[in-house]
Amino acid sequence: MNVLSDYFRDLAERSPRWDFVWLYDGSATDRILSGLWVTIQLSVICVIASLVIGFAGSMLQTSRYRIARLFVSGYLQIFRNTPPLVQLLFFYFALGQFTPSYSPDGWTQIPLISNVGWAAISLSLFGAAFNVEIFRSGLEAVPNSTTEAADALGMSRWLIFSEIQFPLALRVCLPALSSNLINLVKTTSQAFAIAVPELLYQSASLWNDHPATQNPTMLLLLVVYVGLVGILSLGLRLLERRMRVPGYGG
Amino acid sequence: MWSPTQPIVAMKDVKKSYGDFDVLKGISMDIMKGEVVCIIGPSGSGKSTLIRCINALNDIQHGSITVEGQEVHDPGLDKRILRRKVGMVFQQYNLFPHKTALQNIMMAPVKVLKEPRAEVEERARALLKKVRLEGKENSYPGELSGGQQQRVAIARSLAMRPDIMLFDEVTAALDPETVKEVLVTIKELAADGMTCILVTHEMGFAKEVADKVYFTDRGLIVEEGHPSEIFTNPKDPRTKAFLSQIL
Amino acid sequence: MAVLLPLRAAPQMDGFSLTSWLANIKWWQIGLLLLIWPVHAFAQGAVTVNDALAVLYKWAPFLVLNGFLFNVLISVLSMALGTGLGVLVGLTLISKWYALRLIGNTGTAFFRNAPWLVLLFVVLLAFPFEFTIFGMRVPFPGWIKAVIGLSLPVAANIAIVVRGAIQSVPSAQWEAAESLSFTRIQTLWQIIIPQCIKRMIPPWMNWYAILTMATPLCSILGTEEMVTLTRQAMEAEGNKPEFLMPFYGFVLVLFFLYCYPIAKLTVRLERKFAVKL
């Protein structure tokens, strides 16, 4: 027992509204940390998946086939204009009931896609719907004349895309991309609604068990989320600065 | 099989239109290896379209264009092979803004021709020296003046060791004082024996450097000949009118 | 010998007949197909599609009038509060005083980085459920707290919009006004704001749409809005899994019908105002 935990144990006894339980009780600390870890994992998965889906979608949007373009634009409009929370509920409850399940021991039925899985799918699709448009506008911002110059140098279509169009488009769309990814990370807290044991869920369950810890835990929640998002946005801003090219983009 | 005694670029009755608008109405010209050819004429007369057809950036609807004996508009032709033979420099430079001057020059030889990087770098540095841009190797296009960017663009095309260079109004976007530095570079290139086809408004330059001048108007070649004839003694009234306006 | 060799004939046939057939499929037909998949899947249950839709039909007026309109009310009030606050904070962001700018910047950064749901939790749980003013007990219902909770991130984002719009006016305008001996406040209200108010409308509408789509979050905290009522309706009907798809689908459709026109209009106004820059 160190001085700090003694102090907070004492504080909890003196003032019943300020019980910093996770500073002296190991099991409470573990709950918070496991919640944070789930939030981080969910965020990383959703960010990566939304980038991949967003990229694929932006490619499909320029497809020759009308049906592919229609499919993508339908997807975009639905996911951009409905609440992410309702999307989560719809995926988990409405679509979730059709998920095939398996039985490892012959007794219990475990669905193939868990609530965490549905949260990852639903949030990735939500984030990707915005990424599609962001990537597309970035690609459109690359002047035709620049790709034409590459064409005149005998570069293949793939080379032009990977070396010229994509790197330039990324520079153009990075600010918009950053703010969308940040928003996506914030939205992962809504997975609370389908009982994904992420940070908000663990915190809320903690203050349900120990009502006295409500204020400190809310404070912690705010600090941790603002910190997490701050780190992400700082990282993205550094990336933006590193990739900045004189005379191109903002 | 093409031999150097035959025209390196041969156009026969080339026609092209955008919808109802006929840009080229039957252009024929033969250009020999090592020749410097200037195409002049009022804007909208199809000059740019004409040279863009030579490396298949634009397609044609009628006629034929051969480069070193190979039909350019053969649908089975791999255009990339053609474009390694024909370098092109644009009015707006079109450098890759996210690559340094040196990287701009090295990119195509390394990635397209798969030549060894060290060898290409050596050549790229020599080319930068040739266009008088030593010390600008690591500058980004955004840090260079228009004239400097245009010279990097010329070096970038030369790095592919083309047999023919196309220049599409390469000085039109430049300040008057930087026009000269680009023209000097092209002049030296011509003196080295490079086949050059230029679309230009620089009549003084055409007069001094060109072996042959074509005057085009509304999709047709109105008059052609040695610059001394065209500039001092134009025969067609349209040429006369154009020259009197511009000189 | 440098020769230009034709490498290969360009492939002309690429299943054109199939793709043209696919391309001829109408948009609504795809939508129908997408609808049929889940409908088919749950038609195998005990409750038929018609039953579920009949139940939904029964509840729909209640869900729209008591649920969705309440969401709209919450969004409108939050937007009004958020806009007012946001403009004030936005003005601190362009203040001449460093301290004021610092406070404004820190505040906006905080409320922009915190998740909406967490902010809602904080406001709903940290504020008392009633106030005592002059010995009178004034109740402080959850939905008003929700309005406040939602307006905070909106205010922070509107502040950024205001600052961006004001900064988009060329600084020569400030100088011109100053040379005509306008005060800073006069310049702002009579010269700068009239010029940039148009430019603020599209992002402002965009934030309204985002806010509207955040209102279902209140259901997590017990406010009786659309999602809460939908759940209660399903419970009242015996919580059959067959109801989940049509009921949650109905919520999605309502929000879509409300937000999609706003989004369309936003894009149109953005284009319109962008040209006149």
Side-chain angles (χ1 to χ4, degrees), chain C residues 129-139:
Chain C
F129 60 91
E130 57 183 18
F131 280 120
T132 310
I133 306 173
F134 306 124
M136 273 208 316
R137 290 198 162 183
V138 181

Side-chain angles (χ1 to χ4, degrees), chain A residues 146-165, chain B residues 55 57 78-86 94-96 98-99 103-114 156-157 160:
Chain A
T146 306
T147 50
E148 195 170 63
D151 199 15
L153 284 168
M155 293 188 191
S156 63
R157 266 189 67 83
W158 167 247
L159 199 57
I160 294 174
F161 181 79
S162 64
E163 293 282 337
I164 312 293
Q165 278 176 299
Chain B
N55 71 345
L57 279 179
D78 185 346
K79 288 177 182 152
R80 282 177 281 162
I81 295 178
L82 166 72
R83 286 171 187 161
R84 286 162 210 173
K85 298 279 145 221
V86 185
N94 299 351
L95 291 176
F96 307 132
H98 59 309
K99 306 268 178 189
Q103 287 168 338
N104 259 283
I105 299 170
M106 289 174 60
M107 199 174 158
V110 171
K111 304 260 180 184
V112 177
L113 302 180
K114 312 265 185 234
R156 179 174 72 175
S157 284
M160 294 291 279

Side-chain angles (χ1 to χ4, degrees), chain A residues 125-237:
Chain A
L125 287 172
F126 167 71
F130 291 85
N131 285 351
V132 170
E133 290 270 299
I134 292 170
F135 281 135
R136 189 187 55 106
S137 65
L139 286 170
E140 275 174 7
V142 177
N144 245 340
S145 54
T146 306
T147 50
E148 195 170 63
D151 199 15
L153 284 168
M155 293 188 191
S156 63
R157 266 189 67 83
W158 167 247
L159 199 57
I160 294 174
F161 181 79
S162 64
E163 293 282 337
I164 312 293
Q165 278 176 299
F166 186 70
L168 289 175
L170 195 60
R171 284 171 170 82
V172 174
C173 69
L174 206 50
L177 197 60
S178 299
S179 74
N180 185 40
L181 294 182
I182 285 166
N183 187 38
L184 181 58
V185 169
K186 288 194 292 182
T187 310
T188 59
S189 63
Q190 298 183 16
F192 172 91
I194 58 170
V196 171
E198 45 73 63
L199 186 58
L200 179 60
Y201 183 85
Q202 293 287 18
S203 305
S205 84
L206 193 65
W207 73 59
N208 282 336
D209 294 351
H210 311 265
T213 195
Q214 185 176 303
N215 287 350
T217 307
M218 278 204 237
L219 213 60
L220 179 75
L221 255 185
L222 282 174
V223 169
V224 170
Y225 266 113
V226 169
L228 212 60
V229 170
I231 291 169
L232 179 66
S233 69
L234 191 74
L236 286 167
R237 214 173 308 153

